[in-house]
Amino acid sequence: MGIEFISDLSIEKVEASKISNVDFSDLKFGKVFTDHMFFCDFKNGEWQKPRIEPYAPMTMEPSARVFHYGQAVFEGMKAYKDDNGKIFMFRPEQNLDRINKSAARLAMPEFPKDYFFEGLETLLKMDSDWIKPGVGNSLYIRPFVIATEPAISASPAEEYRFIIICSPAQAYYSEPVRVTIAQKYSRSADGGVGFAKAAGNYAAQFYPTKLAQQKGFQQVIWTDANTHEYLEEAGTMNIFFRIDDKLITAPTNDRILDGITRKSLIDIAKDLNIECEVRPIRVDEIKEAARAGRLKEIFGAGTAAVISPVFGFEHDNETFELPKLDETYGSLLKSHLLNIQHNLAEDIHNWRYEVR
Ligand SMILES: *Cc1c(COP(=O)(O)O)cnc(C)c1O
């Protein structure tokens, strides 16, 4: 990929790995972290020497701006191991591009590509025992950037920390969920930060999601903030609908996150000769299709769960059930994507990135 590696990365290894304390057959998502973390501070207008150290608590002043103004962005990506022990990532340059777009929107500095790849690949090699082979097993990678400058004036910070932590993740089969279509709350608005992976987008969606859960719906399908007439995202995932034999997903804009899973599924659908339209989708269209028995599937798409099927939805106090199909586009697309990610299928789009 032609990345020039810098070598001012300083490394401090753990004395003893904590891996033997971890039950890999019973992992809860995002609860256990590997032995090491990568971080790099931004000070005096530039990124300082990057470091890998044992995963440990960090100290920060209570006045650090991230605590007050939420200047924080993050990414979610995965590493996979094949049966020969080779380690792969999936389109990682897309995650770097996106964290830098998110950072720019929150007036934060962009992170250099050479630091990112050298830091991340070194970290993965040091913690490679934590990546288990087998389809569905992976190491979830969480890069994030926070404003660390101790100063509570309401302006962008002059100091930041870029950090990568990693958490082993198990193959999990997301149970189909029931969802409610948003009519009051919004995840994002025109001109806002919906396209960015800004920490605050998540905080803002916890409360409406909690209300939905109290009514028996696991997730909220977000609609456009102006009219609530167009379907945009499912919880923290992009969303696909299947009407008859055609997939439909909303076009990305400044309210919708440009998901790497979403764009990869659009390409895989093309490869499989499944028609996939990218266009605005009206709530009414979905309800009509459901009434006519033409709405076959709804699923969310994102790195963590890959595909998360929906079996029913609610709108305006009316509930709809989807048919139970033996073969779904959701599971077909998911297995194609997983096979590419795990080095079990040909990689015609050049998406795999081997960590050497
Ligand atoms: C991260 C995220 C997604 C999915 O993006 P992937 O790159 O596929 O993981 C979708 N929507 C929102 C709001 C997200 O934060």
Side-chain angles (χ1 to χ4, degrees):
M1 184 156 264
I3 288 151
E4 281 198 25
F5 280 3
I6 37 108
S7 44
D8 46 358
L9 176 64
S10 76
I11 295 175
E12 182 193 329
K13 289 191 178 156
V14 288
E15 281 173 14
S17 173
K18 58 192 181 207
I19 197 167
S20 56
N21 303 332
V22 176
D23 179 359
F24 278 82
S25 67
D26 183 29
L27 290 169
K28 297 210 169 52
F29 182 76
K31 287 271 197 187
V32 171
F33 295 90
T34 61
D35 288 323
H36 299 95
M37 63 183 192
F38 168 85
F39 65 97
C40 184
D41 288 326
F42 182 88
K43 253 185 209 158
N44 304 322
E46 58 186 11
W47 291 100
Q48 308 292 308
K49 258 170 90 89
R51 283 146 60 176
I52 291 179
E53 288 186 6
Y55 177 94
M58 313 185 297
T59 52
M60 263 194 285
E61 294 209 25
S63 58
R65 289 198 208 214
V66 63
F67 298 137
H68 304 273
Y69 306 119
Q71 229 188 335
V73 297
F74 69 97
E75 267 306 318
M77 49 199 296
K78 282 178 174 175
Y80 313 88
K81 193 180 268 176
D82 73 5
D83 289 335
N84 298 315
K86 285 188 185 170
I87 300 170
F88 297 92
M89 291 191 276
F90 184 73
R91 310 182 78 177
E93 66 292 341
Q94 297 269 334
N95 296 94
L96 175 67
D97 273 4
R98 194 168 63 190
I99 202 168
N100 282 337
K101 278 191 192 125
S102 300
R105 178 61 182 82
L106 273 82
M108 303 165 85
E110 296 190 359
F111 196 64
K113 184 173 181 177
D114 51 358
Y115 279 26
F116 179 76
F117 278 96
E118 184 179 22
L120 179 52
E121 292 187 50
T122 308
L123 184 64
L124 291 178
K125 283 184 280 190
M126 288 171 65
D127 286 344
S128 67
D129 288 349
W130 294 78
I131 314 172
K132 299 295 178 196
V135 171
N137 293 329
S138 62
L139 188 72
Y140 186 80
I141 303 166
R142 170 52 58 87
F144 61 112
V145 196
I146 51 174
T148 48
E149 187 191 2
I152 56 169
S153 50
S155 58
E158 306 272 349
E159 293 172 13
Y160 296 90
R161 177 168 284 190
F162 181 101
I163 308 167
I164 304 177
I165 55 176
C166 300
S167 174
Q170 223 172 350
Y172 78 89
Y173 298 95
S174 14
E175 288 292 309
V177 295
R178 273 155 59 77
V179 298
T180 177
I181 297 177
Q183 291 183 278
K184 173 174 178 181
Y185 294 100
S186 301
R187 195 190 78 87
S188 62
D190 290 339
V193 297
F195 71 90
K197 266 184 124 66
N201 286 343
Y202 280 64
Q205 95 184 50
F206 291 156
Y207 176 67
T209 304
K210 193 171 90 176
L211 292 181
Q213 286 167 351
Q214 284 164 356
K215 289 164 76 186
F217 304 104
Q218 287 86 357
Q219 277 299 347
V220 178
I221 295 190
W222 301 106
T223 50
D224 70 292
N226 287 335
T227 66
H228 294 295
E229 282 177 13
Y230 290 90
L231 297 151
E232 302 210 317
E233 294 215 56
T236 59
M237 290 176 283
N238 294 114
I239 191 164
F240 287 79
F241 300 89
R242 173 181 169 188
I243 297 181
D244 297 325
D245 287 329
K246 192 197 299 174
L247 281 175
I248 315 169
T249 190
T252 54
N253 55 34
D254 61 2
R255 300 182 304 271
I256 298 180
L257 193 118
D258 186 7
I260 297 159
T261 313
R262 170 187 174 278
K263 66 176 110 182
S264 304
L265 293 179
I266 293 172
D267 288 343
I268 293 172
K270 254 186 224 135
D271 299 342
L272 299 176
N273 288 319
I274 295 172
E275 197 183 342
C276 183
E277 278 181 5
V278 178
R279 61 165 171 85
I281 310 151
R282 290 173 61 88
V283 178
D284 286 347
E285 177 184 357
I286 292 305
K287 288 165 75 174
E288 259 165 51
R291 283 191 199 103
R294 298 176 54 217
L295 181 66
K296 301 279 165 57
E297 290 175 58
I298 303 177
F299 54 87
T303 295
V306 187
I307 276 178
S308 173
V310 170
F311 74 85
F313 68 94
E314 181 268 348
H315 184 257
D316 246 350
N317 298 318
E318 200 180 342
T319 57
F320 299 82
E321 298 284 315
L322 271 60
K324 285 200 176 57
L325 306 178
D326 289 333
E327 292 187 359
T328 62
Y329 281 177
S331 58
L332 180 68
L333 292 170
K334 179 175 178 173
S335 71
H336 275 263
L337 182 58
L338 284 172
N339 285 342
I340 297 172
Q341 290 171 332
H342 288 266
N343 195 26
L344 293 169
E346 206 190 335
D347 180 23
I348 58 170
H349 300 284
N350 254 320
W351 286 335
R352 273 195 301 262
Y353 179 103
E354 187 178 345
V355 178
R356 291 172 192 278

